[in-house]
Amino acid sequence: MHRAGSVVAPIAETLKAAVHLAKNQERRLRSGHPWVFSNEIESIDEGLVPGDEVVVLDHRGQPIGVGLYNPHSLIAVRLYARHVLPVETTYRLIHGEGDLLPGLVVDRYGDYLCVQSLTAGIERRIEWILEVLQDVLRPRGILCRRDSRARLLEGLALLEPLERGEVPERVEAPYEGMVLLSDLRHGQKTGEFLDQRENRKRVARESMGKRVLDLYCYTGLFSLHCCMAGAGSVLGIDSSAPAIERARANAGRNAPGRDVQFLVEEAERALTGFAREETRFDMIILDPPALVRSKKTLAEGARKYVAINSAALQILKPGGTLATATCSHHVDAAAFLEILRAAAKHARTELRIVDVLGQSRDHPVLLAARETSYLTMVIAERIR
């Protein structure tokens, strides 16, 4: 991952150069072997020459590693890196205080940047910042959004965005072997929630063969990861019609033929309906918006977290998996586990913790600033 302090190398070229493996040819590579043999390859991007850097993708389009290509050798690719984030072009580039640039957020979506100016100090220097981003990364377009209500706390007005170059209404962004249709102008935050990157992959590993319910699914990234990891079926639900529209487009492009559906509905209403109809799921994902935005709303927000998690547990089959998150820095991991303990008690069930996760590594945390650690996701098994 190119962090804010090392934004020196444009990386779109490496993402465009890919070697695609045939089905079931990735197992040896995932066990650690560094060679890709020519007879294991299904297709190769056009225009590659000996010595080119390539990303190796499995038959589902999931990245395995990065290596050097030679069409004249039986060993067609020699891997030198397993962590393929360096070839990702959709990620958080600058994460405010976490990158010692308070009030500045920069997310990269392929050839485009979406910026948030959230403090007076950043707003005063925003024109210069945009110039630096343009000079260093050479994107096709930069959109600087100034519509976050966090600006009001700084005495800043909510303003129309600043724009450099041309940013289309919908941006096609490469993401974890997929291509997302992202709305940088009107979507929440900068268009997508990139802080759940590693968590989506981790949760998807629990979904094989399961009937999955993805609540507050937004543009469907948890859903897509699950169906591509072998979930039996996936139903994503969100109250935002534009978000569901993009989720359906993302599924159609990245997971054609998979059993994944999306529905516009309030999550709480959906939970009530499933309970009434006695519909049960093998796995439920809960990724709600922040329900605790200040210390004053901590008690009320905690009750909401207990309520939705309790309702989810009541329609989760025994032995099923709950993957549930909070994105409020007022609710740390310990407090969230207490909330889940209360939810399990209310649902008259019991949970076994499988994993406790945080935000992705392009959203760095300062040890001295607890506020920079805001995301907790818990994976738990309902054992009765």
Side-chain angles (χ1 to χ4, degrees):
M1 179 67 64
H2 287 265
R3 296 296 313 129
S6 59
V7 189
V8 294
I11 56 180
E13 293 82 2
T14 55
L15 186 67
K16 292 177 182 176
V19 168
H20 307 261
L21 297 179
K23 190 174 182 179
N24 297 327
Q25 296 301 318
E26 72 277 7
R27 297 172 183 172
R28 178 175 47 81
L29 300 171
R30 292 201 186 280
S31 70
H33 202 285
W35 295 347
V36 178
F37 292 101
S38 58
N39 61 356
E40 297 171 332
I41 296 173
E42 182 176 84
S43 65
I44 299 169
D45 286 359
E46 295 181 359
L48 292 181
V49 298
D52 272 355
E53 185 180 42
V54 296
V55 57
V56 177
L57 306 175
D58 67 17
H59 74 284
R60 296 182 301 271
Q62 296 298 306
I64 293 174
V66 182
L68 299 177
Y69 171 69
N70 187 350
H72 305 307
S73 171
L74 177 64
I75 304 172
V77 181
R78 298 173 187 264
L79 295 178
Y80 66 81
R82 297 288 173 171
H83 299 288
V84 295
L85 283 179
V87 302
E88 276 288 347
T89 58
T90 296
Y91 55 87
R92 176 146 294 183
L93 180 68
I94 298 175
H95 184 56
E97 281 77 359
D99 279 317
L100 306 181
L101 291 168
L104 178 64
V105 172
V106 181
D107 284 348
R108 182 174 184 173
Y109 292 89
D111 294 328
Y112 302 93
L113 302 180
C114 192
V115 179
Q116 283 185 303
S117 172
L118 302 172
T119 59
I122 293 299
E123 186 74 5
R124 180 175 170 182
R125 297 163 176 82
I126 194 61
E127 295 285 352
W128 174 77
I129 290 169
L130 298 182
E131 289 178 9
V132 170
L133 291 171
Q134 182 65 48
D135 289 343
V136 172
L137 292 176
R138 301 292 181 183
R140 290 186 181 179
I142 304 176
L143 186 74
C144 177
R145 290 180 59 166
R146 300 184 291 172
D147 58 349
S148 171
R149 298 192 66 80
R151 290 169 58 92
L152 301 177
L153 302 176
E154 290 273 316
L156 298 174
L158 305 185
L159 301 173
E160 292 297 312
L162 299 172
E163 191 167 348
R164 299 290 183 272
E166 295 184 3
V167 179
E169 286 298 314
R170 297 289 188 271
V171 166
E172 292 186 342
Y175 179 84
E176 295 291 337
M178 297 181 279
V179 178
L180 306 181
L181 191 64
S182 298
D183 185 348
L184 308 193
R185 295 182 183 277
H186 307 109
Q188 296 185 43
K189 303 294 185 180
T190 66
E192 302 289 349
F193 294 101
L194 303 178
D195 50 6
Q196 292 273 28
R197 178 193 297 272
E198 279 91 359
N199 297 347
R200 290 181 181 118
K201 292 184 285 188
R202 175 64 185 88
V203 168
R205 295 208 303 268
E206 303 289 331
S207 68
M208 176 72 72
K210 294 180 178 178
R211 185 184 186 188
V212 178
L213 174 63
D214 181 10
L215 294 170
Y216 309 97
C217 70
Y218 193 47
T219 58
L221 299 191
F222 271 110
S223 295
L224 286 179
H225 275 281
C226 287
C227 74
M228 294 175 73
S233 66
V234 183
L235 173 60
I237 293 178
D238 198 277
S239 61
S240 169
I244 290 296
E245 177 187 356
R246 296 202 303 281
R248 288 169 177 158
N250 286 335
R253 177 160 189 170
N254 297 285
R258 305 294 179 92
D259 189 355
V260 54
Q261 300 178 30
F262 294 98
L263 179 65
V264 179
E265 191 171 7
E266 294 286 346
E268 294 85 350
R269 182 179 299 176
L271 284 167
T272 300
F274 290 135
R276 183 176 58 249
E277 297 163 4
E278 298 186 349
T279 302
R280 299 293 181 263
F281 294 89
D282 305 304
M283 182 173 183
I284 298 177
I285 302 167
L286 282 173
D287 187 20
L291 300 179
V292 180
R293 298 187 179 276
S294 68
K295 286 186 177 180
K296 292 181 179 179
T297 62
L298 179 56
E300 178 186 359
R303 286 193 294 270
K304 290 180 180 178
Y305 278 125
V306 170
I308 61 172
N309 280 279
S310 174
L313 287 172
Q314 292 175 54
I315 63 169
L316 183 66
K317 294 178 180 179
T321 300
L322 176 68
T324 181
T326 172
C327 58
S328 171
H329 73 263
H330 297 286
V331 181
D332 62 15
F336 195 46
L337 289 172
E338 287 298 321
I339 285 171
L340 295 181
R341 191 172 287 115
K345 181 179 179 181
H346 186 268
R348 297 181 179 179
T349 187
E350 190 172 347
L351 292 176
R352 176 162 47 213
I353 301 301
V354 175
D355 221 336
V356 180
L357 309 166
Q359 61 223 49
S360 62
R361 55 194 171 124
D362 55 347
H363 292 61
V365 174
L366 296 182
L367 183 60
R370 292 182 179 181
E371 295 84 354
T372 60
S373 176
Y374 67 93
L375 177 64
T376 299
M377 169 157 269
V378 174
I379 302 175
E381 177 191 4
R382 176 181 170 175
I383 57 178
R384 66 173 179 85

